[in-house]
Amino acid sequence: MLFKIFSFNSLSLVLRVVTSFLTSKAIAMFIGASGMALVGNLRNFLSSLEALGTLGIQNGIIKRVAENYSDKKRLSHLFSIHFLGILILSVFLGIGIVVFSEFIANKIFDHADYSTVLKAIGILFPFQVLNVYCIAFLNGLSRYKKVVWVNSVSYLSGLVLSVVLMYFFRTMGHYWPFQS
């Protein structure tokens, strides 16, 4: 069983490394060094935002779900209470990003033109946080194949979308898939 888990996780990790490398190459080709710096700023912002939006409780969710795996009533209660709390927090954070998008764009990118991208991030942010939450829940249920499959599809679609959008929109194009 442990070998299977490591095998699935290894496949996902290799795919993430390859897609990250290809995305970085595409950024270098299409938008250059200055674009790489801006992308780095956005990735750092998104990582911080995701940690804040999930309250850093992914490992706790995995542990609690694994502990209560056989108690369906308790598991349902855990899912709904965490889901509701994270949803409310992420919606408020998303609204904050939309409202303060110009301010944030000026601080991160030194330019208000990127506020459109931040507004889109604010609108889609609750979905990203819920995705992280659901993956943690699946991990707790030991649904490793599903987790690897979801992550793999996410990595590949992010790569394809990034490359296509960078080709057509240069620097702005990379931000739309919000790939971290």
Side-chain angles (χ1 to χ4, degrees), residues 100-164:
F100 297 107
S101 62
E102 286 188 27
F103 174 78
I104 296 169
N106 281 323
K107 291 295 181 190
I108 294 177
F109 306 111
D110 290 329
H111 208 288
D113 285 352
Y114 297 101
S115 66
T116 306
V117 173
L118 289 170
K119 287 177 184 173
I121 288 172
I123 291 167
L124 297 174
F125 183 67
F127 298 105
Q128 170 62 21
V129 170
L130 292 176
N131 177 53
V132 170
Y133 171 72
C134 288
I135 287 176
F137 206 85
L138 285 172
N139 265 329
L141 293 172
S142 301
R143 300 294 197 303
Y144 303 113
K145 285 183 181 180
K146 286 185 182 183
V147 171
V148 169
W149 187 83
V150 168
N151 284 335
S152 298
V153 169
S154 174
Y155 301 149
L156 290 172
S157 62
L159 170 66
V160 170
L161 197 54
S162 288
V163 170
V164 168

Side-chain angles (χ1 to χ4, degrees), residues 15-25 43 159 179-180:
L15 186 59
R16 182 172 184 149
V17 168
V18 169
T19 57
S20 294
F21 174 76
L22 293 174
T23 301
S24 295
K25 287 300 251 181
R43 285 181 178 176
L159 170 66
Q179 187 172 348
S180 55

